[in-house]
């Protein structure tokens, strides 16, 4: 009920609603708080084709010994029509799960709201993000020209920024690339971007900063292809995979 109070910001819950919530928790959540297994809450978009990748992460985690990975959408509804049901389910499952991971591929949708919740709540300490195509353009991440081009593509496709801001960011990127020993100019990047139909996700500056926050904690696992996603999922902490698969 502490998680429920956090979800509702201390809105009063009637005795009937409390009983309905606790009954739901007793039916739906035992597998999450069983102490002999690791529980993973997997977040992400439920729309096609994104849901396929979210399911892929959940299925991959469930192949580990003693691991129970689940989606909030797979749990039954709570019969509390007066209350915001998803908030209650999110806080209950996030509070009880051992780990939380979220698959992100776009700059719109419910998963963006979930990312904000994770980065600003007590759940941050056990959360991991799997953003497709993310790249932070610090000097340590700039090893060659391809890294610079990938960072430039992310700047170009970022939402919520005007052309002046993007040009300023490209200039800063070139300065960092030069410091890393990579010969490139703003004109080179601008010309390259103009000739490309960029098939990379568009993220907002706020999302990119949240990804960077997780990266600084070594809990950001970028990926590009579905094979990459499987590999990054295997790097998530928790129970090991069975040896017979090696």
């Amino acid at each position: 009920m502490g998680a429920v109070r956090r979800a509702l910001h201390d809105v009063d819950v009637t005795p009937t609603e409390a009983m309905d919530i606790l009954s739901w928790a007793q039916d739906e959540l035992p597998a999450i708080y069983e102490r002999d297994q690791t529980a993973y809450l997997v977040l992400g978009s439920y729309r096609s084709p994104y849901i396929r990748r979210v399911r892929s992460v959940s299925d991959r985690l469930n192949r580990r010994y003693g691991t129970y990975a689940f989606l909030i959408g797979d749990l039954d509804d709570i019969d509390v029509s007066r209350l915001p049901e998803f908030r209650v389910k999110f806080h209950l499952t996030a509070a009880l799960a051992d780990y939380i991971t979220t698959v992100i591929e776009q700059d719109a949708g419910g998963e963006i709201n979930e990312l904000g919740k994770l980065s600003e709540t007590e759940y941050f300490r056990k959360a991991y993000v799997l953003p497709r195509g993310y790249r932070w353009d610090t000097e340590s991440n700039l090893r060659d020209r391809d890294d610079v081009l990938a960072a430039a593509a992310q700047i170009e496709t970022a939402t919520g920024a005007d052309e002046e801001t993007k040009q300023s960011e490209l200039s800063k990127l070139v300065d960092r690339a030069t410091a890393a020993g990579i010969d490139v100019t703003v004109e080179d990047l601008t010309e390259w971007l103009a000739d490309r139909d960029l098939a990379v996700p568009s993220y907002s500056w706020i999302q990119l900063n949240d990804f960077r926050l997780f990266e600084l904690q070594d809990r950001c696992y970028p990926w590009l292809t579905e094979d990459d996603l499987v590999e990054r999922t295997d790097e998530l902490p928790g129970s090991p995979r069975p040896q017979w698969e090696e």
Side-chain angles (χ1 to χ4, degrees):
M1 292 308 294
V4 173
R5 285 192 292 273
R6 287 195 296 274
L8 302 177
H9 295 286
D10 295 319
V11 168
D12 288 335
V13 176
T14 69
T16 300
E17 288 169 336
M19 183 61 67
D20 288 339
I21 291 170
L22 292 172
S23 296
W24 176 86
Q26 188 174 30
D27 292 337
E28 293 292 317
L29 304 185
I32 300 176
Y33 56 76
E34 287 287 344
R35 291 300 90 194
D36 62 345
Q37 66 179 1
T38 300
Y40 250 104
L41 170 57
V42 182
L43 303 171
S45 176
Y46 288 4
R47 290 184 291 175
S48 180
Y50 311 118
I51 183 61
R52 187 175 75 248
R53 262 90 72 179
V54 177
R55 290 282 185 203
S56 176
V57 170
S58 177
D59 293 344
R60 191 73 177 178
L61 288 168
N62 273 319
R63 296 186 186 186
R64 297 181 178 186
Y65 284 125
T67 297
Y68 172 63
F70 67 98
L71 280 60
I72 292 178
D74 290 337
L75 303 176
D76 282 345
D77 294 336
I78 310 174
D79 187 16
V80 283
S81 58
R82 185 180 73 94
L83 304 178
E85 179 194 8
F86 178 80
R87 288 187 60 86
V88 173
K89 293 169 77 171
F90 174 86
H91 281 269
L92 280 170
T93 53
L96 291 171
D98 296 296
Y99 297 103
I100 305 168
T101 190
T102 179
V103 184
I104 300 181
E105 302 187 52
Q106 54 181 334
D107 66 346
E111 65 271 29
I112 308 309
N113 184 27
E114 293 164 354
L115 176 66
K117 287 187 176 72
L118 293 179
S119 63
E120 299 298 333
T121 64
E122 63 273 25
Y123 311 130
F124 174 75
R125 60 182 173 79
K126 56 183 176 182
Y128 295 76
V129 295
L130 296 164
R132 182 168 73 89
Y134 163 73
R135 184 185 299 267
W136 188 262
D137 55 351
T138 52
E139 289 177 27
S140 60
N141 286 343
L142 300 177
R143 296 174 295 274
D144 54 34
R145 187 180 177 87
D146 286 343
D147 290 335
V148 179
L149 295 177
Q154 182 166 272
I155 292 171
E156 178 65 21
T157 57
T159 57
D162 56 27
E163 285 305 313
E164 182 179 352
T165 300
K166 291 180 181 180
Q167 284 297 310
S168 175
E169 291 298 320
L170 288 176
S171 179
K172 294 175 184 177
L173 171 61
V174 166
D175 290 342
R176 289 190 285 270
T178 301
I182 303 169
D183 185 18
V184 67
T185 66
V186 173
E187 291 73 21
D188 292 337
L189 297 180
T190 302
E191 182 179 344
W192 181 84
L193 291 168
D195 291 340
R196 296 293 187 283
D197 181 14
L198 300 173
V200 297
S202 299
Y203 295 123
S204 70
W205 294 121
I206 295 175
Q207 283 177 276
L208 294 174
N209 275 266
D210 276 346
F211 295 159
R212 180 56 177 164
L213 176 62
F214 279 93
E215 185 179 4
L216 290 170
Q217 299 280 337
D218 296 324
R219 289 189 271 120
C220 179
Y221 293 56
W223 57 280
L224 283 174
T225 68
E226 293 196 25
D227 287 341
D228 292 338
L229 180 60
V230 169
E231 291 180 7
R232 301 318 304 264
T233 300
D234 285 345
E235 296 172 14
L236 292 170
S239 304
R241 296 182 57 75
Q243 285 189 335
W244 58 261
E245 284 196 344
E246 297 298 327

